[in-house]
Amino acid sequence: GFGAIKLFPAIHEIGVHPRGGYVDWIGPYNTILCIFSRKQAFEGAFRDPRVAGGGFWEHGAYISPTLAVLALIGALGWWRKPWTWSVGAATFFILAMGGTSEYSPYVLLHKLPFIASTYAPSRNLFSFVLCVAVLAGLGADLLLCDSRYGLPETIRMKVRWATIAFIAVGFVDLLMVSPLSLNEAFNGDVAVPTIPYSPQFRQYRDPNSSTNMLQFNLSNLGAVNCWETNFIDYSRNNVLGFNQPGYRGEQYLLGSGAVELRKWTPNALSYDIDSGGPTILVINQVYDDGWKLTEGTGTLVNHDGLLGILIPRGHQRIRVAYKGVNFRPGMTISILTAVILFLIWLWEKKIPVRNY
């Protein structure tokens, strides 16, 4: 429910640009290593020839041992109350191990259309950590607040102080481990623009790399061949960089007239157009159904893979914005989920608390 606002547009994106070749093996040892290794460096906790390259953003999921103990207490002490979180943690751990066999859950799930385009099974550890965090909270709550065992007050106080100490040690441990990943993001070598700053936004095609977007962004440039979303077939991408033959600008008219950029943002573009007759405004962006005409008169068209707008003769201001396919249905579901959970919370407050 909460994830629908991102899931629905992602389904559309993956449908347009499906990908395969997912990383299909992590294994139990490396999975445990990702969770408990304190070497959560930027380049990742492990280097295994069977696992594709990737840093902590792919498999960084450190859990402090003290918090793991609290999670175990929460799972076993209140086994009926948190069973859903225990099942969730076990499920995500199994998925994080990847294709350990021909019929492992990770391999079977990848027979489904949408999931077939996902990769890096270790990313399931992020959801695993969420489940463990809830279990740790339940374990701490059990030790701090529950008095069903009828223990003497002195022993209960010692248990409470020991629990507080466990939480404090775990908190400090996380602070000592986790920030190191971000501190080493650039290893002291921040990307320096090698291209002069452009007063107006233009796009550049890097012939050598598809991952160096930062230095282009610092120069007010867009990267035509950026890798970050999907493995897109750039041979069919008709967007041109200003360093390529045939580049006519970020916007141009096929017929007579003039077009001037008024405002550029990543998801909204405005132009002043003076057309001598019916023509097509071509925008140097990949066409997608998510683009919508929000101001002016015209019709959006797919012009050889680029965003085109059929416009009549005359002077007008054109504005197009990317609304995102399936974004609104996803947002509606996420909002409804929040409302429903809030109502459930109000209802549960009226139910008497009982010990399990």
Side-chain angles (χ1 to χ4, degrees):
F2 282 121
I5 192 172
K6 185 174 182 180
L7 176 62
F8 277 42
I11 291 176
H12 166 74
E13 176 74 9
I14 291 296
V16 176
H17 303 289
R19 63 185 182 184
Y22 53 84
V23 181
D24 63 351
W25 195 95
I26 296 296
Y29 173 76
N30 281 329
T31 303
I32 295 175
L33 188 65
C34 290
I35 297 172
F36 292 111
S37 173
R38 294 178 59 84
K39 297 180 180 180
Q40 298 286 334
F42 183 75
E43 67 274 8
F46 60 84
R47 278 284 183 246
D48 191 295
R50 292 168 292 186
V51 180
F56 74 99
W57 61 90
E58 299 285 15
H59 43 66
Y62 178 70
I63 296 178
S64 177
T66 57
L67 301 182
V69 171
L70 290 178
L72 186 61
I73 294 173
L76 299 179
W78 273 347
W79 67 270
R80 286 191 298 173
K81 186 175 182 179
W83 71 269
T84 52
W85 295 103
S86 300
V87 171
T91 300
F92 288 119
F93 183 87
I94 293 173
L95 290 175
M97 290 192 295
T100 52
S101 69
E102 183 180 356
Y103 299 103
S104 67
Y106 183 79
V107 173
L108 295 177
L109 281 175
H110 274 73
K111 297 183 182 297
L112 301 177
F114 173 69
I115 300 180
S117 292
T118 62
Y119 73 111
S122 55
R123 292 178 180 176
N124 287 284
L125 288 177
F126 306 150
S127 299
F128 168 78
V129 170
L130 172 63
C131 295
V132 171
V134 175
L135 292 173
L138 291 171
D141 184 59
L142 177 66
L143 296 175
L144 290 172
C145 305
D146 191 65
S147 58
R148 63 191 172 118
Y149 296 112
L151 297 175
E153 182 63 23
T154 54
I155 296 179
R156 282 160 49 187
M157 286 299 298
K158 292 179 180 179
V159 172
R160 290 172 183 171
W161 280 111
T163 304
I164 294 174
F166 259 57
I167 296 173
V169 170
F171 179 74
V172 173
D173 186 32
L174 294 177
L175 287 180
M176 293 175 62
V177 173
S178 299
L180 294 178
S181 298
L182 297 179
N183 291 340
E184 297 178 6
F186 299 106
N187 294 320
D189 183 18
V190 179
V192 177
T194 58
I195 303 172
Y197 183 86
S198 175
Q200 285 191 330
F201 174 82
R202 296 186 298 173
Q203 297 185 78
Y204 177 85
R205 187 181 185 95
D206 189 347
N208 302 315
S209 175
S210 59
T211 60
N212 294 330
M213 284 81 71
L214 179 58
Q215 62 172 326
F216 303 141
N217 297 153
L218 295 175
S219 298
N220 195 32
L221 300 173
V224 173
N225 52 330
C226 58
W227 176 84
E228 289 300 322
T229 53
N230 288 322
F231 299 114
I232 297 174
D233 182 4
Y234 289 106
S235 65
R236 297 184 296 173
N237 181 3
N238 291 329
V239 175
L240 295 176
F242 72 88
N243 60 325
Q244 290 183 275
Y247 177 78
R248 297 181 58 180
E250 295 302 312
Q251 62 279 327
Y252 54 89
L253 298 176
L254 294 183
S256 62
V259 55
E260 180 182 0
L261 175 67
R262 299 302 302 174
K263 185 177 181 180
W264 188 97
T265 66
N267 65 329
L269 311 168
S270 298
Y271 306 94
D272 282 340
I273 300 174
D274 192 358
S275 173
T279 185
I280 296 180
L281 167 63
V282 180
I283 301 174
N284 196 33
Q285 296 283 341
V286 176
Y287 176 85
D288 187 88
D289 293 337
W291 287 105
K292 305 297 180 184
L293 185 66
T294 60
E295 183 180 348
T297 303
T299 303
L300 269 67
V301 295
N302 185 340
H303 180 72
D304 294 332
L306 299 179
L307 178 60
I309 307 175
L310 287 169
I311 56 174
R313 178 178 181 177
H315 179 81
Q316 64 169 318
R317 174 163 294 181
I318 288 286
R319 182 178 185 273
V320 292
Y322 190 82
K323 299 297 184 180
V325 178
N326 297 335
F327 173 76
R328 290 185 178 180
M331 179 178 63
T332 301
I333 293 175
S334 294
I335 293 175
L336 288 176
T337 301
V339 172
I340 292 172
L341 290 180
F342 177 73
L343 294 176
I344 293 176
W345 175 72
L346 293 178
W347 174 69
E348 287 186 338
K349 287 182 64 178
K350 300 179 181 180
I351 300 177
V353 179
R354 62 177 181 174
N355 292 325
Y356 288 86

